Amino acid sequence: LEFINGGYCMNDEANAHYTATIDQMSVGLQFLQKEFGPYAAPRIAWQIDPFGHSSAQAGLSAQMGLEGLFFARMHYQDYQNRIDNKELEFNWVAEGGNIFTGKLFRHYSAPPGFCFASRCHDPPIVTNKKSPEYNLDERVATFVDLLREQADAYRSGHIMITMGGDFNYLNAHKYFKNLDILMKHVNADTANNGFKMIYSTPSRYMDAVLSNIKNLSNKTDDLFPYADGEHSYWTGYFTSRPTLKGYIRSMNSFLQACKHIELMAPATSYTSELLRLAMGVAQHHDAVTGTSKQHVADDYAERLAIGQTQCENLINTGIKHLTGSVNDLYSCRLAANESTCHITGDTTKSIFTFIVYNPRSTAKDIYLRIPMSSSAYRLVNPSDPTAFVSYIPTHYTSYQINPKALPIEAIVHLKVPGMGFTTFQLKKDFGVDYRIVLKSIPVVKTENIRIESESLIVYFDGESGSLKQVVDKKSQKTLRISAKFMNYRSNVGDKLDRQTSGAYIFRPVYGTVAQDIDRPILKNYLPGEFVTEVWQSFGDWVNLVYRVYVNKPYIEVEWTVGPIPMDHGREVILRYSTDLDSGKTFYTDSNGREMLRRVLDYQPTWSLNQTEPVAGNYYPVNSRISIKDMESHFTVLTDRSQGGSSLSSGQVELMLHRRMYKDDFKGVGEPLNETQFGHGLITRGRHWLFYSDLDSYGDHRDIGLDLFYQPVVSVGSDVEVGKIPRSGIQNTNKDLNVVTFERFDETSLIVRLENIRSKSEGGKMISADLKKIFGAYFSENFKELGLAGDRPIEKVVKDLKDHIKYDSGSVIGLKPLQIRTFAFTHSEELLNSFVNYA
């Protein structure tokens, strides 16, 4: 008996962010360690049901101390190629570690004809020769033939027969009784059939294979996209249920902030536990993927909302204590998506106090958008003396999402220290001298709109508002660019194949291309001192806002899509076309970690016969996608997982939203047709467009962390801040990220540090002084653990001497993209008394 995998769920590998994967695996593996001890620690990553597999997942599994990885789904052409070459087992060489990897021969179910579960209809084995249903000889012979077929595909002389499946052991006695008979009679004839069957475990099987084979082939790429037929590419789920995907990503950052403040502030009745668990199950391969039934997706969202409420109470109570406030603080969870807030919308209040926490470990310069009832409030008492406020009308699409949206948004520009706090107040004042309200100004249609920031000069078309050109001031390079909303028509089955588009499958009508969604119209041009906005509409149900910030190296694109008309199934994309000569090559991230090279109609480990020219070239874009030429790059960073590709040189397209009225017959059992308030779902999100020369390409890592770590805001009316809390974390190196900072148990805390750059992006060894970074939280009695925190590092790395060769005292070394995990142990009393103040 052994535990395998050990996570809180079997997480998806396309849409789960690496930090969420680490968190959910840590929840499960630490539970096993605490309940059963070190000897129960799993050795095997059992990823048998996700719909494609990432190199980041393989690397993270290795860093957790898992020695083998087994999976069941693989592109049908790759599968046949590996059968022909007996390479269904290989060594996956991933960022962060290598891991033995095996493809199960027949999914994860029993061989055909030998499912003995109550829900199956295969015949039981009858041994009584007098019975008219006697079938022992035939059953054994058939099973041996299946064993020979499988053995021919592997090289070690050992094969794993999975006997089971979903809901299979409701009647375990029946199943095992038939298995015992089968094994007994196969083993009775080993001399002739060549097989000996035993009950075993995945780790024992792995050990047997590795004892016989020393020259496994290496794999360095990933296993996307997955297809189980010529016209069945599982690339739709990269985008399905975009609002749920966005909610899960935002709760990932929010959970980190919650765990930080849970450690900084005195204990209360509120904990991060419910959100940890809700986030854990949300990484499941039918949750963040968007491939559950609607009522199940609603349940995932409800669990997240319950956990979010707990964390909001924890954060607001903790900050109230840390600041010495008398009155209560609150959160406005709908502010970002619906432009409403029950606190700031109260017109009877004359002053609002805001405490902003930055969960990133380095300082951030942020633009905070706050829904307000009016612009008659001036900024007072900011702890950041450079803070500035301006006001802008709420975008008209916010009223479609929520008719009660507030009419004005305050944009507060301020700096927040790393894992630290900034405060300010907005005070009602009916004077007008201090207010800067962005107002739309008329544009000469024959002239371009020119917007200049510290890093960029951006040109928009004066008639349509379309993006036209970007100049990188540092390199003086120019990018010609346009952005179009388009849609593919969903296939409902055709003469080639009955396969339809659905929650899992992306299959546009064969032989067609994406069609434009109406023509763009310039709605507003709102120039400001710190941010300038250009608003566009594309018909009745698609809208776009461009934002150019004075001190940011990117352009923010806020898209709003929906309700998608239901005249036919539609898959909505935003396509960026540039003059970069990128050819057929583009790059996508692996779960927010390493960037992987993609080439149109090509797979590096077999000769691909492309049968779906659009869907077959789609890949998961977890956080970014890039194209390059010899001098420059264009990178789009996303606020959630999306499907994306580059189908022509210089192009990047990302799928934003999907709606169809047919199921794809892959398991959901209902069409992907999301609704809200009686009409189709409206979804909103952001892209950050980053253009520069190749020398600055690696800066996408720093920009990506700013997009991921969103500030957490507590607000109250008539609240006086007595003191400004400071976490005590000191990190000025933007290439060094504190991934985790949380309570581990009653007497210790756990931290994870990461070198965010890869070697190809200019990443170098970083020296990090734990004592200087974590101050009073540091303990001389610290120890390093595996990535999931459930076992000592000695149980994970093969060469400990090499692993720690750059360490000295409290100073540790971090190689490019490396993550290391440490536990600091203190007395319980000391652990509750760390917070200090500026």
Side-chain angles (χ1 to χ4, degrees):
L1 180 66
E2 71 176 65
F3 290 110
I4 54 175
N5 210 49
Y8 196 64
C9 73
M10 184 188 297
N11 65 264
D12 174 55
E13 299 188 33
N15 302 287
H17 193 265
Y18 74 96
T19 55
T21 296
I22 292 171
D23 278 351
Q24 79 84 11
M25 288 297 296
S26 297
V27 168
L29 289 171
Q30 289 174 24
F31 171 83
L32 292 179
Q33 196 279 331
K34 291 173 183 176
E35 294 296 321
F36 298 97
Y39 295 107
R43 297 174 59 202
I44 299 296
W46 192 248
Q47 290 290 110
I48 59 171
D49 208 20
F51 328 120
H53 301 275
S54 72
S55 60
Q57 180 80 32
L60 295 174
S61 297
Q63 293 175 73
M64 291 173 189
L66 302 175
E67 303 165 46
L69 186 157
F70 291 95
F71 67 95
R73 300 182 189 270
M74 172 183 272
H75 193 292
Y76 70 99
Q77 294 177 24
D78 191 8
Y79 177 53
Q80 189 58 55
N81 178 69
R82 288 183 177 275
I83 287 178
D84 295 342
N85 293 289
K86 295 192 174 186
E87 290 188 341
L88 289 174
E89 293 167 335
F90 50 88
N91 180 43
W92 204 332
V93 181
E95 190 71 53
N98 304 345
I99 191 167
F100 168 79
T101 306
K103 162 73 175 76
L104 303 182
F105 189 64
R106 288 186 183 89
H107 201 53
Y108 53 80
S109 305
F114 291 89
C115 175
F116 302 118
S118 298
R119 67 197 302 264
C120 296
H121 302 288
D122 298 338
I125 300 173
V126 180
T127 60
N128 183 356
K129 290 187 177 182
K130 294 180 180 180
S131 171
E133 296 178 344
Y134 173 78
N135 62 0
L136 175 63
D137 294 340
E138 179 275 328
R139 291 281 78 195
V140 171
T142 300
F143 193 76
V144 168
D145 287 343
L146 292 169
L147 296 181
R148 289 196 179 105
E149 179 189 2
Q150 182 168 342
D152 286 344
Y154 295 84
R155 293 193 285 135
S156 72
H158 299 276
I159 56 175
M160 181 195 296
I161 308 297
T162 52
M163 298 299 297
D166 297 348
F167 314 112
N168 267 205
Y169 280 86
L170 300 176
N171 187 346
H173 175 76
K174 174 187 173 185
Y175 216 124
F176 281 110
K177 181 179 179 179
N178 281 272
L179 278 178
D180 288 342
I181 296 170
L182 194 61
M183 292 174 66
K184 175 183 176 181
H185 289 277
V186 169
N187 291 343
D189 198 26
T190 297
N192 292 318
N193 63 39
F195 292 98
K196 179 182 179 181
M197 295 178 65
I198 62 170
Y199 285 113
S200 188
T201 67
S203 66
R204 290 180 66 189
Y205 170 75
M206 175 186 67
D207 291 341
V209 170
L210 293 177
S211 69
N212 280 14
I213 295 183
K214 304 299 181 186
N215 59 338
L216 288 167
S217 62
N218 288 335
K219 182 175 183 61
T220 57
D221 58 321
D222 65 2
L223 291 164
F224 286 113
Y226 166 58
D228 61 354
E230 289 187 5
H231 302 287
S232 300
Y233 272 86
W234 297 50
T235 53
Y237 81 95
F238 301 158
T239 297
S240 296
R241 302 196 188 280
T243 300
L244 179 62
K245 282 179 167 64
Y247 188 26
I248 292 171
R249 182 62 57 84
S250 68
M251 284 300 97
N252 190 351
S253 170
F254 187 69
L255 174 60
Q256 308 315 312
C258 181
K259 292 188 293 186
H260 296 176
I261 293 174
E262 186 174 33
L263 182 56
M264 296 175 193
T268 68
S269 59
Y270 306 113
T271 75
S272 63
E273 184 72 5
L274 287 180
L275 187 54
R276 288 179 198 244
L277 300 183
M279 276 296 294
V281 77
Q283 309 315 310
H284 186 272
H285 57 273
D286 275 320
V288 69
T289 53
T291 54
S292 67
K293 290 182 183 294
Q294 184 63 57
H295 73 274
V296 179
D298 293 342
D299 184 68
Y300 289 132
E302 182 178 15
R303 289 171 185 267
L304 287 169
I306 292 170
Q308 181 182 0
T309 298
Q310 275 279 310
C311 269
E312 286 173 344
N313 291 334
L314 184 156
I315 289 169
N316 293 327
T317 303
I319 291 178
K320 176 183 176 181
H321 173 86
L322 296 176
T323 58
S325 302
V326 176
N327 293 348
D328 290 337
L329 298 168
Y330 302 92
S331 301
C332 291
R333 67 172 58 179
L334 301 180
N337 200 43
E338 298 189 14
S339 297
T340 185
C341 176
H342 66 289
I343 301 297
T344 58
D346 188 346
T347 57
T348 66
K349 303 298 182 183
S350 61
I351 188 166
F352 301 111
T353 299
F354 299 85
I355 300 98
V356 183
Y357 177 71
N358 168 23
R360 187 178 173 182
S361 60
T362 53
K364 280 185 65 171
D365 182 286
I366 67 171
Y367 291 85
L368 195 65
R369 302 179 76 91
I370 305 167
M372 300 292 292
S373 59
S374 79
S375 58
Y377 291 83
R378 61 188 175 92
L379 182 72
V380 297
N381 301 322
S383 57
D384 169 23
T386 67
F388 183 86
V389 66
S390 59
Y391 290 88
I392 193 167
T394 295
H395 196 274
Y396 51 84
T397 56
S398 296
Y399 299 103
Q400 294 176 281
I401 298 173
N402 184 353
K404 296 181 180 179
L406 296 176
I408 294 289
E409 288 184 353
I411 304 175
V412 182
H413 175 219
L414 69 162
K415 296 178 176 65
V416 192
M419 292 173 68
F421 301 83
T422 291
T423 66
F424 65 91
Q425 293 177 313
L426 293 177
K427 184 176 182 180
K428 184 174 285 188
D429 186 336
F430 293 101
V432 295
D433 294 339
Y434 68 89
R435 284 186 290 158
I436 300 176
V437 182
L438 303 190
K439 294 183 178 179
S440 183
I441 64 172
V443 176
V444 179
K445 293 184 177 181
T446 57
E447 297 179 2
N448 288 331
I449 298 171
R450 182 182 185 276
I451 304 171
E452 184 169 358
S453 69
E454 294 174 5
S455 303
L456 305 171
I457 303 173
V458 187
Y459 293 92
F460 297 87
D461 181 81
E463 181 175 5
S464 67
S466 295
L467 183 60
K468 291 184 67 174
Q469 185 171 293
V470 180
V471 179
D472 173 37
K473 294 168 71 173
K474 179 181 176 182
S475 65
Q476 289 299 301
K477 297 185 181 302
T478 298
L479 179 75
R480 297 188 183 277
I481 181 172
S482 64
K484 282 186 177 182
F485 282 101
M486 311 176 81
N487 58 201
Y488 293 102
R489 184 165 183 161
S490 304
N491 203 317
V492 294
D494 55 24
K495 294 179 180 179
L496 290 174
D497 199 294
R498 67 187 290 266
Q499 182 63 65
T500 61
S501 250
Y504 296 99
I505 303 297
F506 170 38
R507 189 184 180 216
V509 171
Y510 198 78
T512 63
V513 296
Q515 301 296 314
D516 289 358
I517 300 176
D518 221 317
R519 65 183 185 88
I521 296 175
L522 175 63
K523 304 293 285 189
N524 269 328
Y525 166 47
L526 302 159
E529 183 177 354
F530 286 92
V531 59
T532 294
E533 297 194 0
V534 176
W535 295 8
Q536 272 188 304
S537 70
F538 294 73
D540 296 332
W541 53 278
V542 177
N543 289 272
L544 194 65
V545 176
Y546 293 103
R547 296 189 180 103
V548 180
Y549 296 96
V550 68
N551 61 341
K552 299 296 183 183
Y554 55 80
I555 302 167
E556 180 171 287
V557 175
E558 183 178 270
W559 46 266
T560 305
V561 179
I564 298 176
M566 272 299 280
D567 48 348
H568 54 77
R570 296 174 186 258
E571 333 239 358
V572 180
I573 66 167
L574 180 51
R575 179 179 288 170
Y576 302 98
S577 299
T578 76
D579 60 354
L580 285 185
D581 184 16
S582 59
K584 294 184 175 182
T585 301
F586 59 105
Y587 303 83
T588 64
D589 68 301
S590 184
N591 304 108
R593 294 272 288 159
E594 61 265 34
M595 297 293 288
L596 298 182
R597 180 174 180 262
R598 313 295 192 183
V599 180
L600 278 180
D601 301 326
Y602 171 79
Q603 285 288 340
T605 56
W606 86 92
S607 180
L608 173 67
N609 174 28
Q610 185 60 271
T611 53
E612 283 287 335
V614 177
N617 284 302
Y618 257 60
Y619 290 87
V621 179
N622 196 282
S623 65
R624 67 208 75 189
I625 180 172
S626 297
I627 54 175
K628 305 175 185 177
D629 61 13
M630 298 301 293
E631 297 181 340
S632 305
H633 78 94
F634 171 66
T635 299
V636 184
L637 296 102
T638 65
D639 67 347
R640 71 200 66 194
S641 293
Q642 296 175 328
S645 188
S646 174
L647 298 177
S648 296
S649 181
Q651 283 186 358
V652 168
E653 68 176 60
L654 288 155
M655 188 178 290
L656 310 180
H657 199 2
R658 317 176 68 223
R659 191 183 189 192
M660 58 256 337
Y661 59 90
K662 292 281 189 179
D663 181 42
D664 58 15
F665 314 112
K666 295 299 183 182
V668 178
E670 65 184 36
L672 182 65
N673 179 20
E674 293 187 279
T675 59
Q676 64 176 24
F677 313 128
H679 54 72
L681 178 72
I682 301 174
T683 187
R684 176 182 287 171
R686 290 181 296 165
H687 293 159
W688 285 4
L689 313 184
F690 175 44
Y691 167 67
S692 74
D693 61 11
L694 291 181
D695 289 342
S696 300
Y697 171 64
D699 291 350
H700 74 82
R701 296 285 178 184
D702 175 41
I703 296 170
L705 286 184
D706 272 352
L707 181 54
F708 174 74
Y709 288 108
Q710 291 299 301
V712 174
V713 183
S714 293
V715 58
S717 57
D718 302 316
V719 173
E720 292 298 327
V721 176
K723 47 194 174 182
I724 301 170
R726 182 167 61 88
S727 69
I729 308 302
Q730 300 293 324
N731 176 28
T732 58
N733 186 347
K734 289 197 170 185
D735 288 345
L736 176 65
N737 181 40
V738 176
V739 179
T740 302
F741 179 70
E742 64 183 68
R743 186 179 289 272
F744 190 41
D745 54 32
E746 291 78 7
T747 60
S748 57
L749 62 137
I750 191 168
V751 300
R752 293 186 181 94
L753 295 96
E754 168 190 31
N755 183 340
I756 68 171
R757 289 193 188 234
S758 69
K759 188 178 294 186
S760 64
E761 299 164 350
K764 299 177 181 178
M765 174 68 69
I766 290 177
S767 291
D769 190 331
L770 301 177
K771 189 172 185 178
K772 287 185 178 179
I773 293 171
F774 294 102
Y777 292 101
F778 174 76
S779 168
E780 298 290 348
N781 183 29
F782 73 95
K783 59 183 178 181
E784 185 170 5
L785 304 171
L787 185 60
D790 70 317
R791 63 196 75 183
I793 194 63
E794 293 83 1
K795 297 290 186 180
V796 176
V797 300
K798 295 178 179 178
D799 188 343
L800 183 62
K801 185 176 181 181
D802 178 72
H803 180 76
I804 63 173
K805 68 180 180 180
Y806 297 104
D807 298 356
S808 177
S810 64
V811 178
I812 58 117
L814 286 163
K815 300 172 185 176
L817 277 186
Q818 185 178 21
I819 305 173
R820 295 180 69 179
T821 305
F822 299 90
F824 301 154
T825 301
H826 299 277
S827 69
E828 186 173 357
E829 293 76 18
L830 187 61
L831 198 59
N832 288 325
S833 61
F834 280 147
V835 174
N836 48 68
Y837 300 91

